[in-house]
Amino acid sequence: LDEMLEKQGTKIDKVLDFEIKDSILEERITGRWMHPASGRSYHTKFAPPKVPGVDDVTGEPLIQRKDDNAEVLKSRLEAFHRQTQPVIDYYVKKGVVSKLHADKPAKEVTSEIQKTLS
């Protein structure tokens, strides 16, 4: 990537490393539910529907995506860590990595991103 960008006269000057424990990701992902027709999303802990498993607007059943389960997530995370850590390590050595705490609420993470990039 660096070689390709260099040929184009540019380079990577900032890498954002969103740090979050796998257990927190599991809670966030396995708790997601959605209303398929509208795309409305819910979360069992953070944004639950008024009636569990039922869309607040239509009363229709909510679904979970097939890949929003602990087994699939574990496999995806193992691959992510295996493939991504060497890239992170490479850019840490180049001094361009900023670690962000992604376990915070979205507004706080967004604020951290903005501070890091400004």
Side-chain angles (χ1 to χ4, degrees):
L1 177 61
D2 284 347
E3 290 172 13
M4 180 189 74
L5 291 174
E6 187 176 337
K7 289 176 186 174
Q8 296 176 1
T10 188
K11 66 178 183 172
I12 291 177
D13 59 359
K14 187 68 71 177
V15 173
L16 304 181
D17 182 9
F18 294 90
E19 292 189 328
I20 188 167
K21 292 180 182 178
D22 289 356
S23 60
I24 294 173
L25 283 175
E26 182 176 346
E27 177 184 45
R28 288 181 178 179
I29 290 173
T30 60
R32 295 191 300 197
W33 288 83
M34 66 176 288
H35 179 247
S38 68
R40 275 185 291 281
S41 62
Y42 298 88
H43 192 280
T44 54
K45 181 177 180 181
F46 305 113
K50 294 174 186 167
V51 176
V54 177
D55 180 56
D56 289 348
V57 177
T58 65
E60 296 171 341
L62 300 174
I63 64 162
Q64 272 192 307
R65 289 179 12 183
K66 292 178 183 178
D67 60 346
D68 279 355
N69 67 68
E71 184 178 314
V72 172
L73 176 63
K74 182 179 178 186
S75 172
R76 286 172 32 203
L77 285 172
E78 286 172 357
F80 172 80
H81 293 305
R82 184 177 60 254
Q83 296 168 359
T84 304
Q85 195 58 54
V87 177
I88 297 293
D89 293 344
Y90 172 81
Y91 285 106
V92 164
K93 289 176 187 171
K94 295 188 82 134
V96 296
V97 173
S98 292
K99 294 188 180 294
L100 303 175
H101 302 284
D103 56 350
K104 297 178 181 181
K107 286 183 181 181
E108 290 181 40
V109 175
T110 299
S111 177
E112 262 194 75
I113 293 168
Q114 291 169 336
K115 287 177 191 173
T116 300
L117 295 178
S118 59

